[in-house]
Amino acid sequence: MGAPSAWLQRFAPSPPGTALDLACGSGRNLVWLAGAGWRTTGVDRDAAATAPLRGHAEIIDADVESAPWPLAGRQFDLVVVCNYLWRPLFDTVKAAVKPGGWLIWETFADGQQTVGRPSRPDFLLQRGELLRVCTDWRIVAYEDLFEDGVNPRFVQRVAAIRPPLAA
């Protein structure tokens, strides 16, 4: 399963509330969130990978790239997206965050194709893209960098708070 995202651990707000882990895969972030007291929902298209997670969270098996959004009308205190990018979902993902809620997104950025997967630039964030996605949100933290080491990678991350509703 692997360790949860350090970015998520650093910026997950408290107290825990409702959380959505989009493209949750084998559940490294979802299990950590559930253990921290979050009421979690995970969405992924790989039902075999998510089967062991059903005791930790509500799991929705859905291919969000080719089917309707399975969470229409639902909002969460925290939406987490790690190592996943499907640009047509930007507005949908943002709408899934409650006013005053958090979006924590980290995924591969342009340059990653030179050091490993994914190799298609269509699945890599362009410079400053997550900042542009979160225009008018309060940016708590943002990184766009190359991480050297055992598994070098180009990554972009944002932790942002959706503005509360106007009075």
Side-chain angles (χ1 to χ4, degrees):
M1 179 179 314
S5 159
W7 190 253
L8 170 62
Q9 292 178 72
R10 182 174 170 196
F11 291 106
S14 60
T18 58
L20 168 63
D21 185 356
L22 178 61
C24 64
S26 64
R28 66 188 180 104
N29 295 318
L30 186 137
V31 170
W32 181 83
L33 286 164
W38 291 86
R39 292 180 313 280
T40 54
T41 299
V43 176
D44 202 282
R45 66 181 181 185
D46 186 350
T50 60
L53 303 175
R54 296 189 190 281
H56 298 278
E58 171 191 16
I59 301 297
I60 299 171
D61 299 315
D63 183 349
V64 295
E65 296 173 17
S66 64
W69 179 245
L71 299 164
R74 291 181 63 186
Q75 291 186 313
F76 300 85
D77 298 302
L78 170 63
V79 173
V80 177
V81 185
C82 284
N83 299 333
Y84 179 71
L85 177 64
W86 184 249
R87 286 181 178 88
L89 285 180
F90 279 163
D91 289 339
T92 302
V93 170
K94 288 171 51 181
V97 179
K98 287 180 181 177
W102 285 68
L103 174 64
I104 297 179
W105 199 321
E106 79 175 303
T107 196
F108 299 110
D110 188 39
Q112 181 64 22
Q113 67 273 30
T114 65
V115 295
R117 297 177 66 169
S119 59
R120 289 185 48 201
D122 291 353
F123 296 106
L124 303 173
L125 289 164
Q126 300 303 306
R127 286 286 197 205
E129 192 166 1
L130 284 180
L131 284 178
R132 290 188 297 277
V133 167
C134 294
T135 299
D136 299 330
W137 286 42
R138 192 181 85 165
I139 304 299
V140 176
Y142 173 77
E143 292 182 344
D144 188 350
L145 51 89
F146 173 71
E147 292 180 327
D148 204 358
V150 175
N151 297 309
R153 65 189 189 146
F154 288 83
V155 66
Q156 197 171 129
R157 302 176 175 110
V158 70
I161 300 173
R162 182 177 180 179
L165 293 174

